[in-house]
Amino acid sequence: MRKYLESKDWRLTERRSVNLQSLLLFLIPILYLLTLAHSLVLGDPTEYTLVANVLGIAHPPGYAFITLLGKLFQTIIPVGAIPWRMHLLSAFSGTLAALFAYGTLRAIFRRQPSAGLHPLGVTAAIFAALTLATGADVWQHAIHANPHIITAAFLMVNLYFL
């Protein structure tokens, strides 16, 4: 087994595996973009979009971070309507959360003796990322302006760095 892992065939297989991982993980933002809200969504997403546009204060607790980050997205992204840009922030956050879930599992498997090279680690990491990204609650918050998906992204970033 060790000879195989050190051979050129294994390196080629590993390179193909990385290409497949990239392809599968690229599906996440595509799924979000295909289902992303294009205009205002009644309720809190409309409030978050307006508050970020005028740099106001949302209902308690205020959600200052989504307001500032939303204003940044509304200003920097040059295409699309303002509500779409705000929804794009949520899609970006949902994608970030899924990618950090992938990275967390890859890091866990790499710390195990000889498991970092095992395809099970790759499969588990991809499965975790796709499961998180397509979960009903995460997907619901990732396709319209919502501060909860940003919190989920922060959670996954923190788990990765732990």
Side-chain angles (χ1 to χ4, degrees), residues 40-93:
L40 292 174
V41 176
L42 294 178
D44 286 347
T46 301
E47 180 185 6
Y48 300 133
T49 301
L50 173 69
V51 166
N53 194 22
V54 298
L55 287 176
I57 298 173
H59 66 277
Y63 301 106
F65 188 71
I66 192 174
T67 301
L68 295 174
L69 202 57
K71 182 64 173 181
L72 181 69
F73 255 70
Q74 290 175 6
T75 305
I76 289 179
I77 306 293
V79 295
I82 288 178
W84 183 81
R85 296 177 202 177
M86 194 68 178
H87 302 317
L88 189 64
L89 168 63
S90 292
F92 176 77
S93 298

Side-chain angles (χ1 to χ4, degrees), residues 17-18 21-22 25 97-107 110 121-122 124-129 132 156 160:
S17 172
V18 168
Q21 292 171 37
S22 302
L25 294 176
L99 292 178
F100 271 99
Y102 168 82
T104 301
L105 257 72
R106 287 290 291 165
R110 281 191 182 137
V122 174
I126 290 173
F127 184 73
L132 176 74
M156 294 314 301
Y160 175 78

Side-chain angles (χ1 to χ4, degrees), residues 24-28 31-32 98 101-102 124-135:
L24 286 172
L25 294 176
F26 189 67
L27 288 175
I28 297 169
L31 288 173
Y32 288 157
Y102 168 82
I126 290 173
F127 184 73
L130 291 176
T131 301
L132 176 74
T134 58

